[in-house]
Amino acid sequence: MIPFNTPPVTGNETRYILESIQNNKISGDGPFSKACHSWFEKQLGCTKALLTTSCTHALEMAAILIDIQPGDEVIMPSYTFVSTANAFVLRGAKIVFVDIRPDTMNIDETKIEAAITDKTKAIVPVHYAGVACEMDTIMEIADRHNLFVVEDASQGMMSSYKGKPLGTIGHLGAYSFHETKNYTSAGEGGLLIVNDEGFTERAEIIREKGTNRSLFFRGMVDKYSWVDIGSSYLPNDLSAAYLWGQLEVADDINNNRLQSWHYYHDRLKPLEQKGAISLPFIPDYCEHNAHMFYLKVHNLDERTHLLDFLKENGIVAVFHYVPLHSSAAGQQHGRLNGIDNYTTSESEKLIRLPMYYGLSRADQDHIISTIFGFFQEP
């Protein structure tokens, strides 16, 4: 079987993990964590970067930092992973879902303002597939209504909007280093991106179980104690060591994935031209990271048959997500504002093809020829 995903391995991860063990610094914020933090702050140009145990936890920290309270409303797309909503629901927020754009599968920026009420606290754009949302419009709306913007850039490492790295445009941002992402910290992990300096000190406190431990180790207080709410959001240094082995060659990983992405796109273009499928759309304002390659067929039934056909031919392809507004928890903790013109219908057409660092041309050729075979094209 050609797998849907293989976690990236560049060769130095094992050496760095052993080095971390030998340093006797395997708990949070050890030498490799600090190296990763410095790399991200330089690469992203953000105020502060803090590794977390998951993107879910980075989003939970963001919800605490912007002081989400019971009854607050948070606007986001329904087409996203559950963590995007859960992080704010845990603080008592009501989620207000809006429709997506059918071209990028991102939140429809023209639908956001109509969803704003006097209870709205934040907008959470999700950069699906590492393709940027229309952030100028979103930030203008947020500024005019005095709202926070938390970017869910879980899929967006090495992607940008008009030259700005995803996650660095709103007040806060979050990345994922889960094993399915372009870069991973031993299977799980995330990053909180702080762009507003006013959040920096409290972010460190929340991440350290509500203590001022980070200030203590920098010599800014003579002892550390419990000063705020928080939890244990910092990962061990072994995970950072694994991630560091990939950050050293981040451009190589990115370029390899982009080559695979363009190979898919170029070879499958004839099927799109004949109207059999639709291929991803990349706006001019976006540099994407080839996080995924997806195609869309005409309807749910055709998708089911194509997925089965791929599986019969030794190819693991997947679909996602079930729109959150139609889920049991989504209906309990949120509501859809406006009409679901595209969220459900477009989600039912989408198939994700195998995409990972080191995907071979031979495997891609087999995948592509199988897709052509399904549509009975030579």
Side-chain angles (χ1 to χ4, degrees):
M1 297 290 288
I2 299 174
F4 167 69
N5 176 70
T6 297
V9 178
T10 63
N12 283 330
E13 291 90 348
T14 302
R15 179 164 66 90
Y16 291 146
I17 288 171
L18 288 173
E19 184 178 326
S20 179
I21 294 170
Q22 291 163 356
N23 286 338
N24 295 318
K25 298 286 187 181
I26 63 172
S27 60
D29 284 342
F32 285 103
S33 297
K34 292 174 182 176
C36 290
H37 288 160
S38 296
W39 190 93
F40 285 120
E41 287 165 11
K42 181 179 179 181
Q43 176 78 20
L44 303 175
C46 59
T47 299
K48 190 73 173 177
L50 293 168
L51 287 173
T52 59
T53 40
S54 65
C55 183
T56 301
H57 279 168
L59 290 167
E60 288 179 17
M61 287 181 63
I64 297 172
L65 284 167
I66 65 173
D67 195 30
I68 292 293
Q69 296 291 321
D72 287 342
E73 293 182 351
V74 178
I75 297 170
M76 65 180 65
S78 175
Y79 189 68
T80 184
F81 190 58
V82 297
S83 295
T84 314
N86 258 334
F88 300 92
V89 169
L90 283 169
R91 310 304 307 166
K94 194 78 170 178
I95 307 301
V96 180
F97 300 111
V98 298
D99 205 11
I100 59 169
R101 293 170 42 161
D103 56 354
T104 61
M105 304 296 286
N106 285 333
I107 191 169
D108 187 336
E109 67 278 3
T110 69
K111 308 294 185 187
I112 292 173
E113 197 149 24
I116 295 173
T117 71
D118 58 1
K119 296 179 181 180
T120 307
K121 190 73 168 282
I123 304 168
V124 184
V126 180
H127 302 297
Y128 182 71
V131 175
C133 298
E134 217 310 312
M135 291 304 296
D136 282 350
T137 300
I138 292 170
M139 294 305 298
E140 188 275 329
I141 292 170
D143 289 344
R144 190 151 34 83
H145 291 274
N146 195 30
L147 303 176
F148 292 107
V149 174
V150 177
E151 293 177 74
D152 184 338
S154 59
Q155 301 174 349
M157 184 65 207
M158 302 294 280
S159 291
S160 62
Y161 170 83
K162 296 184 178 180
K164 284 195 63 94
L166 300 189
T168 69
I169 303 161
H171 300 87
L172 297 160
Y175 281 153
S176 172
F177 301 123
H178 184 267
E179 71 165 33
T180 58
K181 301 303 187 290
N182 296 29
Y183 309 90
T184 181
S185 50
E188 296 282 355
L191 184 76
L192 176 70
I193 303 160
V194 179
N195 305 309
D196 185 327
E197 192 170 349
F199 289 126
T200 303
E201 183 175 311
R202 191 169 186 230
E204 291 183 325
I205 290 170
I206 291 167
R207 181 171 170 267
E208 277 278 17
K209 311 162 193 71
T211 72
N212 56 1
R213 184 171 179 267
S214 293
L215 295 175
F216 170 73
F217 280 115
R218 289 202 295 271
M220 299 172 71
V221 294
D222 59 359
K223 59 183 177 181
Y224 76 85
S225 61
W226 183 22
V227 297
D228 201 345
I229 62 171
S231 189
S232 185
Y233 290 122
L234 69 165
N236 62 69
D237 211 51
L238 299 177
S239 295
Y242 191 101
L243 178 61
W244 181 245
Q246 296 170 23
L247 296 184
E248 284 187 317
V249 290
D251 287 334
D252 293 341
I253 293 173
N254 194 52
N255 290 336
N256 179 269
R257 294 183 70 106
L258 284 167
Q259 289 171 9
S260 295
W261 192 96
H262 285 292
Y263 192 79
Y264 271 138
H265 192 275
D266 293 346
R267 300 305 187 274
L268 291 171
K269 188 68 176 176
L271 283 179
E272 182 177 55
Q273 292 170 337
K274 294 180 179 181
I277 62 173
S278 298
L279 296 177
F281 169 72
I282 310 297
D284 292 339
Y285 54 70
C286 176
E287 288 288 335
H288 74 102
N289 62 353
H291 170 63
M292 72 174 74
F293 192 92
Y294 66 82
L295 57 84
K296 293 181 190 175
V297 294
H298 295 104
N299 51 53
L300 177 59
D301 186 60
E302 188 174 47
R303 181 179 76 178
T304 301
H305 285 99
L306 177 52
L307 284 170
D308 289 342
F309 188 75
L310 290 168
K311 185 177 180 180
E312 290 166 6
N313 284 273
I315 300 161
V316 180
V318 302
F319 67 87
H320 69 187
Y321 310 98
V322 175
L324 296 185
H325 76 271
S326 63
S327 67
Q331 291 173 15
Q332 180 182 353
H333 299 294
R335 60 180 172 83
L336 177 69
N337 190 80
I339 301 172
D340 175 8
N341 286 317
Y342 297 112
T343 300
T344 299
S345 61
E346 293 299 308
S347 70
E348 290 179 345
K349 302 173 184 176
L350 188 143
I351 292 176
R352 290 182 61 178
L353 300 182
M355 169 62 79
Y356 45 86
Y357 174 61
L359 176 62
S360 73
R361 284 289 177 268
D363 283 349
Q364 279 195 282
D365 285 337
H366 177 59
I367 294 164
I368 292 164
S369 65
T370 300
I371 294 169
F372 270 86
F374 176 81
F375 292 103
Q376 298 183 335
E377 295 285 343

